[in-house]
Amino acid sequence: MQWGGGGESGRGMGRLWLLLTAMVVLLAWELAGEASRPQPNVSLWVLDHQGQQPPEKGALTTVTAESLDEQVSLGLKAHPVWLRLRVVGALPGQRLVLSNPLVQGVELLVCDDSGCRPVERETHFADDPGLAAALPQFRLPVATNDLLLRVETDQAIRFNVQVLDDVDLHRYWRDLLLGQGLYFGLIAGLVIYNSLLLFSLRDTNYLWYLGFLSGAGAYFLCQNGLLLLYFPQMGARLNEALLLTALSVISICGLQFCRRFLMTARQDPRVDSLMRWLCWLLALAAAIAWLLPSFLTVVFYSLLGVLTLTAFLLSSVRGLWRGFRAAQWLLMAWSVLVVGVVLLLLVTYGLSPHNFWTLHGFQIGSALEAILLSLALADRISLLQRERETLLEEKARLHGMSYLDGLTGVHNRRYLDEALPAAVAQAEVSGRPLSLIMLDIDNFKRFNDGWGHAEGDRALQHLGKVIEEVVRDIDPVCRYGGEEFVILLKERDEHQALDIAERIRKGLATTPLTLLTGEQVLLTCTLGVAKRLEGESASALLRRADQALYRGKYAGRDRVVLNASGGVASTTS
């Protein structure tokens, strides 16, 4: 199992993590601008009242054991939650702003001796009505310190209570948009880049990755109130349904990406079956989000989220265990996302305070995960390209071996059947000469019977070496069958072919073969030569060379015979 490389690979990973860390710091800096601003003194208490109507005046003194600060984290509630607020030091014209766009079911009331009356929610902010819709806000009544806040929502009750004037609210929203601009700029860049790769490579992994990116973008448009900003008329219910649907899209595309990237259908069928069932459940959850929106739907999504993350990590670990190197990128990506989702789940159920990291941790994890998944794809494509090159090289090697004679190492009959017609066609077009030599060892059957087949094989190998010492590398030598060999001489006329044939004959006759017993024997061969005639086919040329060879056999062997257009001439030593 290979977890990573050293040397340049290790330094490259170090630079990658440094870059990712810098991006996280930059994102945190942009999104956390509100942390440095001084706040008026805001005190909060949770009342033991769960009704739809405000509590009686005497009930306002019944509070939980501890008061809250400006950061509220109460988790999911199936009933309305009533908060008592005391604001000290507020200036005329300031607004009470809740930082979480998902908490839309909010009502602010002023209570005095005559009873409680609602404070009208702001529906317009300067020239930007969308900002008032995106962030629940109320203009604080003059000279009023004690207020009641009623919150009823299917989402987790988590928000910061801030008292801001118009300038501070603009600054707060500007800082938030800067951070969101960084995130969505990153997502847009990855979408464009990977879309180009999808169209060029036709790899479905990129399609599911693009679906994952698009789902993440849609989710955070809803979570951060950006859709409400630009479409204030859409309302909280529609925003929540779109948010949960986007969460299903993220999870389904992530699971499908993981299945194809790790090839789990073939490599890990059990985990693949789990991920396919999760996809169906997530599709069902999306339908429930539209038909039966409630806090129970959020609970259902939480359970599915835990199962989905488990499937992500399990498949990546098992892929890495199988030796699939690119799975390390997936494991890093899902691990980063797990941290963000865990922070989100903790604050969703009121187990963690509402702060910058629980509010934006999921989004930061999503950004880092998107980068790591893109790197995973790049690494996988690089790995596949190397594997493809290796396969092509192996295919070329095997293809070359299929044209070689296993005993002598020269080309075989299959190669000659393809090369000779091609050479004839080329000679026909160019008008250049083409000659052929056919030869075999004299009395080879008698040699085999006397010395055995093992020595006969060594005799054929010996002849092959003698031939290759004489001919050029570009002149193919082919074992035609048994002890017969054919030499294809491109751009050589009959005189040159006769010279080459004679050198082979003399070379074999003067180079002894050393037998396995140590004894040395001399072999002879007979060679037939034919020069291609104008318009002559490959089979006709081969037949004339064969005729010249057998003419030499009948004439006494150990000679070169030319089959010329005007008759047969022989040359002997």
Side-chain angles (χ1 to χ4, degrees), residues 403-423:
Y403 287 105
L404 295 178
D405 177 57
L407 176 64
T408 62
V410 300
H411 295 292
N412 56 19
R413 172 75 174 268
R414 178 184 176 186
Y415 177 87
L416 180 67
D417 290 342
E418 296 182 13
L420 182 56

Side-chain angles (χ1 to χ4, degrees), residues 20 206 279 300:
L20 295 180
Y206 286 94
C279 287
F300 185 38

Side-chain angles (χ1 to χ4, degrees), residues 20-294:
L20 295 180
T21 303
M23 292 187 65
V24 171
V25 171
L26 180 59
L27 185 61
W29 180 272
E30 293 294 349
L31 291 175
E34 68 273 12
S36 61
R37 287 191 294 274
Q39 296 290 325
N41 186 5
V42 179
S43 302
L44 298 96
W45 298 268
V46 180
L47 302 181
D48 290 335
H49 178 70
Q50 300 177 1
Q52 294 291 337
Q53 299 301 318
E56 299 293 334
K57 182 178 179 182
L60 294 179
T61 59
T62 306
V63 298
T64 56
E66 293 185 9
S67 63
L68 305 176
D69 58 15
E70 294 88 350
Q71 295 178 328
V72 177
S73 179
L74 301 178
L76 294 171
K77 300 294 182 182
H79 53 76
V81 173
W82 289 85
L83 299 171
R84 179 187 176 191
L85 286 78
R86 175 171 293 170
V87 181
V88 178
L91 300 175
Q94 287 189 319
R95 300 164 183 252
L96 185 75
V97 181
L98 276 61
S99 64
N100 189 350
L102 298 181
V103 182
Q104 290 289 330
V106 181
E107 183 181 8
L108 184 67
L109 300 97
V110 177
C111 296
D112 52 25
D113 294 338
S114 62
C116 295
R117 60 185 183 277
V119 177
E120 185 177 359
R121 178 169 170 172
E122 287 290 297
T123 58
H124 191 80
F125 178 77
D127 58 350
D128 192 354
L131 181 53
L135 290 179
Q137 53 188 273
F138 304 85
R139 192 173 295 277
L140 288 171
V142 179
T144 302
N145 291 332
D146 290 307
L147 304 164
L148 281 181
L149 188 66
R150 177 182 176 275
V151 182
E152 185 176 14
T153 177
D154 296 334
Q155 299 294 318
I157 300 177
R158 59 187 183 99
F159 52 83
N160 290 351
V161 177
Q162 302 181 82
V163 177
L164 305 174
D165 58 23
D166 289 357
V167 174
D168 289 335
L169 183 56
H170 261 306
R171 184 184 300 115
Y172 170 85
W173 193 254
R174 182 204 63 194
D175 292 344
L176 183 64
L177 290 182
L178 284 174
Q180 296 304 315
L182 176 63
Y183 174 80
F184 285 103
L186 170 66
I187 295 298
L190 290 174
V191 166
I192 294 172
Y193 173 69
N194 287 281
S195 295
L196 295 175
L197 291 178
L198 171 64
F199 287 117
S200 62
L201 299 176
R202 307 290 181 179
D203 189 334
T204 56
N205 282 286
Y206 286 94
L207 180 63
W208 292 112
Y209 176 63
L210 288 172
F212 179 87
L213 291 177
S214 301
Y219 177 87
F220 290 109
L221 280 175
C222 297
Q223 188 198 52
N224 294 302
L226 298 179
L227 276 185
L228 289 171
L229 174 68
Y230 295 108
F231 303 99
Q233 69 278 6
M234 67 182 292
R237 283 293 188 189
L238 179 56
N239 186 74
E240 290 174 5
L242 289 173
L243 180 141
L244 293 177
T245 302
L247 199 57
S248 284
V249 171
I250 293 172
S251 303
I252 291 173
C253 291
L255 288 168
Q256 295 291 350
F257 173 86
C258 206
R259 289 182 61 225
R260 282 157 178 76
F261 188 93
L262 297 173
M263 296 173 286
T264 55
R266 184 172 69 253
Q267 301 291 339
D268 204 344
R270 291 183 180 179
V271 173
D272 185 78
S273 178
L274 169 64
M275 291 193 287
R276 284 190 286 108
W277 276 107
L278 281 174
C279 287
W280 287 110
L281 289 174
L282 286 161
L284 175 64
I288 294 175
W290 288 88
L291 300 175
L292 301 170
S294 69

Side-chain angles (χ1 to χ4, degrees), residues 347-366:
V347 74
T348 297
Y349 291 94
L351 302 175
S352 175
H354 176 79
N355 54 37
F356 167 77
W357 293 107
T358 55
L359 178 62
H360 298 296
F362 184 28
Q363 188 168 11
I364 294 172
S366 170

Side-chain angles (χ1 to χ4, degrees), residues 270-546:
R270 291 183 180 179
V271 173
D272 185 78
S273 178
L274 169 64
M275 291 193 287
R276 284 190 286 108
W277 276 107
L278 281 174
C279 287
W280 287 110
L281 289 174
L282 286 161
L284 175 64
I288 294 175
W290 288 88
L291 300 175
L292 301 170
S294 69
F295 82 102
L296 291 177
T297 304
V298 178
V299 174
F300 185 38
Y301 264 97
S302 300
L303 294 174
L304 286 180
V306 171
L307 290 175
T308 300
L309 291 175
T310 301
F312 285 156
L313 294 175
L314 180 63
S315 61
S316 301
V317 169
R318 289 169 69 91
L320 198 59
W321 188 261
R322 293 196 307 269
F324 187 50
R325 191 195 70 183
Q328 64 184 327
W329 293 104
L330 260 65
L331 185 59
M332 286 190 291
W334 303 136
S335 298
V336 170
L337 186 65
V338 164
V339 173
V341 172
V342 167
L343 291 174
L344 177 63
L345 290 175
L346 288 176
V347 74
T348 297
Y349 291 94
L351 302 175
S352 175
H354 176 79
N355 54 37
F356 167 77
W357 293 107
T358 55
L359 178 62
H360 298 296
F362 184 28
Q363 188 168 11
I364 294 172
S366 170
L368 295 178
E369 181 204 26
I371 297 172
L372 289 168
L373 289 182
S374 183
L375 293 173
L377 280 172
D379 187 56
R380 180 178 179 274
I381 293 300
S382 176
L383 180 62
L384 289 176
Q385 286 178 340
R386 288 196 296 271
E387 290 178 351
R388 187 177 294 111
E389 290 172 359
T390 301
L391 288 175
L392 289 175
E393 291 174 358
E394 182 66 13
K395 182 179 179 180
R397 186 182 69 84
L398 293 175
H399 185 265
M401 289 179 62
S402 69
Y403 287 105
L404 295 178
D405 177 57
L407 176 64
T408 62
V410 300
H411 295 292
N412 56 19
R413 172 75 174 268
R414 178 184 176 186
Y415 177 87
L416 180 67
D417 290 342
E418 296 182 13
L420 182 56
V424 168
Q426 184 180 9
E428 185 71 27
V429 172
S430 65
R432 296 180 179 275
L434 174 67
S435 299
L436 211 62
I437 298 176
M438 179 174 283
L439 68 151
D440 68 3
I441 298 176
D442 295 332
N443 300 312
F444 184 70
K445 184 178 184 304
R446 185 187 306 169
F447 180 90
N448 250 352
D449 293 340
W451 298 101
H453 290 287
E455 295 290 9
D457 290 344
R458 296 182 71 249
L460 294 174
Q461 294 170 343
H462 178 66
L463 174 59
K465 292 178 181 179
V466 170
I467 296 172
E468 289 185 328
E469 288 178 358
V470 176
V471 301
R472 302 173 300 177
D473 292 338
I474 62 172
D475 297 328
V477 179
C478 307
R479 185 182 176 190
Y480 190 66
E483 72 274 19
E484 289 185 328
F485 289 76
V486 174
I487 305 170
L488 188 58
L489 300 174
K490 300 177 182 179
E491 301 184 4
R492 297 293 185 101
D493 58 23
E494 65 271 29
H495 303 293
Q496 294 169 312
L498 285 171
D499 178 64
I500 292 172
E502 183 62 22
R503 287 160 55 195
I504 292 173
R505 188 190 68 79
K506 290 181 177 179
L508 182 64
T510 58
T511 305
L513 167 66
T514 302
L515 303 177
L516 293 173
T517 60
E519 185 177 353
Q520 292 187 333
V521 297
L522 289 172
L523 303 173
T524 62
C525 65
T526 302
L527 304 94
V529 177
K531 175 182 176 293
R532 177 182 174 273
L533 304 176
E534 185 176 354
E536 187 175 26
S537 66
S539 58
L541 175 61
L542 186 63
R543 184 170 55 254
R544 288 200 301 111
D546 187 49

